[in-house]
Amino acid sequence: MIRTRLTHHAPTEIADACALLAEHGEDAAVVGGGTMLVPQMVRGERTVHHAVDLRRLGLHRIEVRDGEVAVGAMATYSDVAASAELAEHAALLRIAAAGITGGAQIRNQGTIGGSACYANPASDVPAVLVALRARMQVHGPDGTREVAAEAFFVDAFASALGRGELRAAVVIPAQTGRAGYEKIKLSESSWPIATAAAVVGDGAEPAVTLGGVARTPLRLDVGALVDGDGTLGDADALEALVRERLTEPWEDELAPGSYRRDIAGAVARRSLIKAKEERA
């Protein structure tokens, strides 16, 4: 049970939602799917007196626009996993959404936008958005701006959103390569310890983006390590690259940083193998 007096706001215009967030600042929270916020408030880990609900803003759509895919902030994991547009233009996001843990309740209620804004290092979403070169469409009191995913995730549990701003959509350039996704978890229902999102072949810039192993997603250029078809030539060189770049591994109750650093290379390699084997 939430034990604080809470005012629920359900604006129908984005400008009104931003005005509420700007007015109340730290005393307001955005409600998307609520799968993170509501449990935190029930446990007393977060206290606010104003909840700004996004459900009436029309942010559920997934649309193709000028060769890019725009995913609304209220699109759920189930929406993403079932999207024909994403299957064609951004398969990596669809693959990751289909593997989200927590069962049908989380997949049907949780949103890509909410996960991105919480910027949990152990979440699947941040690294996938960085791998896809996604851009965050942000609305605020001063209008609309776009932020590259790599710049959006500024630290563990911290994003580039300012006071009064909300993320309305994520815009993803049409994918030209093949996608592979791999993650390691303690159990089926746990947060990932490490994730890797690979994009190779078909004209794409070969890269692996690691999640869960650092405070923010870590994108690695692997163009020198794979051939034109996406085949990894030297697994030891990939392991060395990962260890060179992963200088300050993330640690939490799931695993120490040393363990994450030890397994990151293997997870990256597996993602490349899956990308190599993927066929449209």
Side-chain angles (χ1 to χ4, degrees):
M1 185 176 81
I2 297 174
R3 295 174 174 82
T4 57
R5 183 180 295 275
L6 188 65
T7 301
H8 178 261
H9 305 272
T12 58
E13 300 291 337
I14 289 181
D16 294 335
C18 294
L20 286 164
L21 294 172
E23 177 184 355
H24 299 292
E26 294 297 321
D27 199 28
V30 170
V31 181
T35 58
M36 291 290 289
L37 175 66
V38 173
Q40 286 179 341
M41 294 188 70
V42 169
R43 294 191 298 262
E45 297 170 356
R46 186 174 182 188
T47 300
V48 297
H49 295 90
H50 297 270
V52 181
D53 194 331
L54 305 187
R55 284 180 291 182
R56 299 178 65 189
L57 297 182
L59 300 177
H60 295 80
R61 291 186 290 273
I62 300 174
E63 304 174 307
V64 177
R65 305 173 183 169
D66 300 324
E68 299 180 318
V69 186
V71 182
M74 290 296 290
T76 66
Y77 294 117
S78 292
D79 293 335
V80 169
S83 169
E85 291 85 359
L86 289 170
E88 180 178 358
H89 299 290
L92 179 58
L93 184 60
R94 185 171 178 260
I95 292 168
I100 290 293
T101 56
Q105 288 181 317
I106 295 297
R107 290 192 293 272
N108 292 337
Q109 188 74 13
T111 66
I112 297 292
S115 181
C117 291
Y118 270 92
N120 185 345
S123 171
D124 295 75
V125 171
V128 170
L129 295 182
V130 170
L132 289 169
R133 298 292 203 182
R135 307 188 309 276
M136 309 299 193
Q137 188 181 86
V138 175
H139 287 258
D142 297 325
T144 303
R145 64 189 180 104
E146 286 193 345
V147 183
E150 284 188 270
F152 186 80
F153 303 109
V154 299
D155 201 351
F157 302 102
S159 76
L161 288 176
R163 181 168 178 143
E165 291 188 323
L166 61 85
R167 198 193 68 87
V170 56
V171 181
I172 303 170
Q175 178 183 320
T176 58
R178 299 190 303 277
Y181 191 64
E182 178 71 12
K183 62 181 172 181
I184 290 180
K185 304 179 294 181
L186 288 176
S187 65
E188 179 59 29
S189 61
S190 74
W191 289 96
I193 293 174
T195 70
V199 178
V200 299
D202 301 332
E205 297 179 11
V208 175
T209 303
L210 296 172
V213 299
R215 300 183 71 86
T216 58
L218 180 61
R219 189 177 191 276
L220 307 173
D221 180 354
V222 296
L225 304 179
V226 302
D227 62 21
D229 194 38
T231 301
L232 176 64
D234 189 341
D236 290 339
L238 175 63
E239 176 72 30
L241 175 62
V242 170
R243 286 187 169 274
E244 177 188 346
R245 293 287 307 280
L246 187 54
T247 56
E248 297 183 10
W250 172 252
E251 58 181 87
D252 56 15
E253 65 277 5
L254 293 175
S258 59
Y259 178 71
R260 284 184 159 99
R261 194 163 187 254
D262 286 343
I263 66 172
V267 179
R269 176 171 51 81
R270 292 176 188 177
S271 72
L272 283 168
I273 292 171
K274 286 187 174 181
K276 171 66 168 59
E277 294 174 347
E278 190 229 349
R279 290 292 181 268

